[in-house]
Amino acid sequence: MKRSVRFPVSTALLRRLAYASIVANVAIVVTGGAVRLTASGLGCPTWPRCTDESYHTTAEMGVHGVIEFGNRLLTFAVGLIALATLLAVLAHRPRRKGLLGLAVAVFLGIPAQAVIGGITVLTNLNPWVVGLHFLASMAVIAAAYALWRRIKDPDGPAVAVVPGPLRTLAALTTVVSVAVLVVGTWVTGSGPHAGDGGAARNGLDPEQISQVHADAVFLLLGLSVALVFAFRAVGATGPARAAVVLVAVELGQGVIGFVQYFTDLPALLVGAHMLGSCLVLLATLSVLWSTRERRPTPVPAPAPAEERVPATA
């Protein structure tokens, strides 16, 4: 009887693929921002075709068509990385708990995010749909990060490394971090970078919603600083380091946010702020993940010789 040929996938290769998926999804957020910031959101005026007659850009569409079509092509590259990661998870032995579900979530998140992107075009860059497009990318990044972290962990039970109240504080910080991202899309939808000169805005007052966003950022920063001191107080060095990184990322993102606000939102700084949003999310997830760790399932010791049941003849 012939055995089927298998191509074993190492844990190291699996982690590299998952890491590449994180990087690729962050990259498509940044390039998607470039589409909006260069007013190329309708460079391809329809979807899934680029024009009514063609799936690709034409010379008559100029640089805006090239930028928008290039971003669409990048979606295929991101999808191929997600597919490679999924196939690697299927080939990896022994099969790890939870990996397949996360890999499927990342893979299916790519076309889902692309469809939402298509709806943004079909709705002439409706700001609420544009915001949903960004948040869908954040969800895919979060799933890719969870996959990358889970690959490293053993299959044993998750054990808390900090007291329950601090885990609750870390969870609350995560919720506020997500709220900051959501409100940030409202700020974007009220501002000048619509992606096209004729695109509508969401009708919110830019100054007022920016203040709400800033208040949420200050709350997030306060919670993160509290986590640093709380983790250090209980001797949780790993979570404390993760919280310090989070505070540093938030401060950098905050500086970019304030500078862009008081300099009339230059495109380059807005793009940097979008990249910073991805980094804030990843740093927040790192803190949340650090509050627990998985330990290998203990192997039961063999019974003493005198307690073993003798084999029957």
Side-chain angles (χ1 to χ4, degrees), residues 98-227:
L99 292 189
L100 183 58
L102 289 170
V104 169
V106 174
F107 177 66
L108 294 181
I110 306 302
Q113 191 258 15
V115 169
I116 298 173
I119 295 173
T120 67
V121 173
L122 297 177
T123 57
N124 292 320
L125 307 181
N126 180 289
W128 301 105
V129 183
V130 172
L132 180 61
H133 188 42
F134 172 79
L135 295 175
S137 293
M138 294 294 103
V140 176
I141 290 173
Y145 179 83
L147 176 62
W148 178 69
R149 289 295 298 255
R150 184 67 186 87
I151 291 169
K152 182 181 179 181
D153 291 342
D155 271 335
V159 178
V161 297
V162 297
L166 297 190
R167 297 198 303 274
T168 301
L169 182 59
L172 177 61
T173 303
T174 304
V175 171
V176 174
S177 182
V178 172
V180 167
L181 293 176
V182 173
V183 178
T185 66
W186 302 347
V187 176
T188 298
S190 70
H193 297 293
D196 184 80
R201 301 285 72 205
N202 60 20
L204 298 175
D205 181 84
E207 185 174 348
Q208 290 181 356
I209 195 62
S210 294
Q211 184 61 57
V212 172
H213 183 58
D215 292 341
V217 169
F218 283 127
L219 174 60
L220 176 60
L221 182 60
L223 291 171
S224 302
V225 171
L227 281 174

Side-chain angles (χ1 to χ4, degrees), residues 5-10 13-15 17-18 21 78-96 99-108 147 151:
V5 179
R6 291 183 178 179
F7 300 94
V9 174
S10 67
L13 175 58
L14 201 54
R15 289 203 83 207
L17 286 170
S21 189
V78 177
L80 287 175
I81 295 174
L83 177 59
T85 306
L86 175 58
L87 294 176
V89 168
L90 290 170
H92 185 65
R93 294 293 184 274
R95 180 72 57 79
R96 305 287 299 282
L99 292 189
L100 183 58
L102 289 170
V104 169
V106 174
F107 177 66
L108 294 181
L147 176 62
I151 291 169

